[in-house]
């Protein structure tokens, strides 16, 4: 099922931006956010859980929301919708 809205364009963070603080992602639980992976790729996600090492939730693959788990250390930055 596709979302009933279009995602806005999101630009990647500046290279010299301060490393994101892991605690801040907790404020984004149960919200749609855009995550930039340290390898430069990015995706939309809905975070359902955060512990000291991982986030769990659903990510948008262009067609569906699929479950995912990601290490906090692999996140370069994130931005709320």
């Amino acid at each position: 099922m596709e979302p009933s809205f279009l995602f806005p364009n999101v630009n990647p963070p500046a290279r010299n931006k301060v490393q994101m603080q892991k605690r801040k992602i907790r404020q984004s639980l149960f919200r749609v956010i855009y995550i930039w992976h340290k390898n430069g790729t990015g995706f939309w996600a809905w975070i359902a859980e955060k512990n000291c090492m991982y986030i769990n939730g659903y990510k948008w693959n262009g067609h569906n929301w699929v479950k995912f788990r990601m290490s906090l250390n692999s996140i370069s930055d994130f931005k709320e919708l």
Side-chain angles (χ1 to χ4, degrees):
M1 181 167 129
E2 291 190 31
S4 60
F5 59 91
L6 296 175
F7 291 118
N9 291 331
V10 178
N11 296 322
R15 291 274 179 183
N16 60 358
K17 186 172 180 170
V18 177
Q19 187 73 6
M20 76 109 187
Q21 294 178 3
K22 294 177 186 176
R23 285 179 270 143
K24 285 187 175 183
I25 204 162
R26 181 174 290 283
Q27 299 168 358
S28 298
L29 285 175
F30 311 116
R31 297 180 187 177
V32 176
I33 64 173
Y34 195 85
I35 296 175
W36 285 275
H37 195 273
K38 283 188 177 178
N39 69 10
T41 61
F43 58 90
W44 289 102
W46 185 82
I47 307 304
E49 180 184 10
K50 184 242 179 216
N51 63 33
C52 61
M53 297 181 66
Y54 295 96
I55 55 171
N56 298 308
Y58 297 87
K59 70 178 184 175
W60 182 249
N61 69 5
H63 302 285
N64 299 312
W65 290 98
V66 294
K67 287 184 180 181
F68 84 104
R69 181 179 188 178
M70 183 177 200
S71 167
L72 291 171
N73 291 330
S74 64
I75 298 173
S76 172
D77 198 8
F78 70 95
K79 182 176 182 177
E80 286 188 26
L81 179 63

